Amino acid sequence: MSATEELTVHQVGPDQIINEWFPVATCADVAPGAMYSFRLIDRRYVLLHGADGMVSVFEDICPHRGAQLSLGTFDGARVQCPYHGWEFATSGDCEFRPAHPSMPIPEACRLTSVRVQRAYDLYWVCVGPEPRNLPTYEAFGEHPGLTVVLGPKPLGACGPRIIENFLDVAHFPYVHANYLGQVPHTEVKDYDVANVDGELHATNVVAWQPKPGPTAVEGGDVAYVYGVSHPYAAILTKVPTEANGGELAGFSLMLVASPEDETHCRVWMLTTINDPEGDLQSFLDFNTLIFGQDVDIVESQLPKRLPIDPRLEMHQRADRMSLAYRRWLADRGIRYGTTLND
Ligand code: FES
Ligand SMILES: [Fe+2]
């Protein structure tokens, strides 16, 4: 099969994006009794955190005349539509219609719910009928209580461009000059890319950094491992070496982009450190700074949707992971945020 024919195959069938889980809120940001509205894959939803602790997510659309429920009020037990005052329990059932207070309420008067779960200190939602896997982020469980959450950060770019930027080390000396890299240490050595049980791994990714470890007094090499097990998420783990501070100086990052629409995302970055005495706040501050340096570049990239056909952009050898990711996305049946959706 030619490259063009293979790509055509991926354009048939429903876009699998709806079956992926996406973060919608940081758990700590949504207290019991709170209502939280958000956009995901072009639609609006509302998360209700009941006073009883139950968390549910519904389309943010009243079944009566389509008004936005989250413009109304939530008292921890019922959400009241701002238009005609219908009241819905956190189960989604309509329990009161003020215009007809004593008439029975048809069962069909209910909110449309979607799946929600809590993982990695975030609430995740899947709007499709056949949910797939969450991203694999083992560090979170291996180092309990040592994760700090950055986000959600709005970014005017498609999820796949955001993930590719996270997988790219060749930009370090330019976009993150004096932080993650430095001219003339620009060469990207060969690294390995493999598909391991459906997950994409890049190993032996080496970057020269001005401060390769917490106690380093001069620049040196740092090694990273990258993993992609979800189309809009990537994990980075710093491989500990004695020269760079040893096991305790190691850490992992998970970046995940949650699409409001094809070219606008809300982005979370989780950092998990190995050192129980480590300073999570300093990691949060550092990653906030690094994230900010990427914004203008990633928002500037054209076309806005990630090109999947390799002929649409030029490549260099350091882009092996990016090319493997593009193929992996297409194989997973994801067109949203890519040129396959043009
Ligand atoms: S639109 Fe919500 S009660 Fe009428
Ligand atoms: Fe960057």
Side-chain angles (χ1 to χ4, degrees):
M1 221 175 359
S2 74
T4 320
E5 281 166 330
E6 278 182 52
L7 290 166
T8 312
V9 169
H10 298 302
Q11 291 178 59
V12 298
D15 192 332
Q16 290 301 318
I17 194 76
I18 58 167
N19 289 318
E20 305 289 352
W21 291 96
F22 291 104
V24 300
T26 307
C27 295
D29 290 347
V30 191
M35 168 164 70
Y36 181 84
S37 70
F38 60 91
R39 273 167 55 76
L40 181 64
I41 318 179
D42 306 296
R43 305 185 76 143
R44 66 182 189 222
Y45 298 91
V46 60
L47 182 150
L48 303 179
H49 191 172
D52 60 0
M54 182 170 149
V55 171
S56 38
V57 174
F58 302 98
E59 287 188 10
D60 193 3
I61 300 174
C62 179
H64 178 221
R65 287 295 180 267
Q68 184 170 354
L69 285 168
S70 59
L71 296 177
T73 54
F74 179 54
D75 66 3
R78 283 184 184 182
V79 58
Q80 182 175 49
C81 179
Y83 198 0
H84 311 98
W86 288 19
E87 293 181 15
F88 301 88
T90 52
S91 63
D93 292 328
C94 181
E95 295 187 330
F96 185 60
R97 295 187 298 175
H100 310 286
S102 49
M103 279 177 69
I105 301 173
E107 241 177 68
C109 282
R110 62 187 328 277
L111 305 178
T112 303
S113 67
V114 293
R115 291 180 173 85
V116 57
Q117 66 169 310
R118 184 184 174 133
Y120 309 135
D121 292 341
L122 305 174
Y123 289 116
W124 299 72
V125 162
C126 175
V127 300
E130 293 168 38
R132 294 172 156 189
N133 58 291
L134 288 168
T136 310
Y137 186 44
E138 284 162 1
F140 182 88
E142 289 167 358
H143 304 284
L146 294 182
T147 294
V148 68
V149 177
L150 168 64
K153 292 273 190 189
L155 201 52
C158 68
R161 288 274 195 206
I162 295 167
I163 296 308
E164 276 207 358
N165 174 60
F166 187 73
L167 298 171
D168 180 279
V169 296
H171 77 285
F172 284 0
Y174 298 96
V175 179
H176 308 296
N178 304 321
Y179 292 94
L180 297 180
Q182 214 171 60
V183 178
H185 304 278
T186 56
E187 185 176 5
V188 178
K189 300 191 183 97
D190 273 348
Y191 56 89
D192 303 308
V193 176
N195 187 321
V196 183
D197 301 328
E199 292 191 16
L200 214 48
H201 292 182
T203 49
N204 300 314
V205 182
V206 175
W208 188 96
Q209 299 197 327
K211 191 167 166 53
T215 55
V217 288
E218 57 181 21
D221 284 343
V222 173
Y224 293 120
V225 167
Y226 289 90
V228 173
S229 54
H230 175 289
Y232 278 37
I235 318 291
L236 168 159
T237 300
K238 181 182 178 185
V239 181
T241 63
E242 272 323 305
N244 296 342
E247 186 65 35
L248 285 180
F251 61 84
S252 296
L253 303 178
M254 174 166 71
L255 185 92
V256 55
S258 188
E260 296 192 298
D261 59 40
E262 275 198 279
T263 56
H264 296 86
C265 289
R266 294 188 303 143
V267 181
W268 277 265
M269 187 191 279
L270 276 62
T271 308
T272 304
I273 60 175
N274 294 2
D275 182 359
E277 309 289 311
D279 179 5
L280 281 169
Q281 185 63 43
S282 70
F283 276 86
L284 188 65
D285 295 344
F286 185 76
N287 289 334
T288 303
L289 184 128
I290 296 296
F291 185 92
Q293 293 173 334
D294 284 313
V295 169
D296 285 352
I297 296 290
V298 176
E299 290 190 339
S300 80
Q301 287 179 277
L302 294 176
K304 292 300 277 184
R305 296 191 185 96
L306 184 76
I308 297 298
D309 183 333
R311 293 166 300 190
L312 293 173
E313 286 185 329
M314 303 305 295
H315 312 284
Q316 57 182 3
R317 195 166 168 85
D319 299 327
R320 285 186 58 219
M321 184 58 167
S322 135
L323 284 165
Y325 168 66
R326 292 176 183 203
R327 167 63 50 179
W328 184 91
L329 267 185
D331 286 346
R332 198 169 163 107
I334 302 299
R335 298 196 295 274
Y336 198 81
T338 79
T339 51
L340 295 180
N341 232 6
D342 280 352

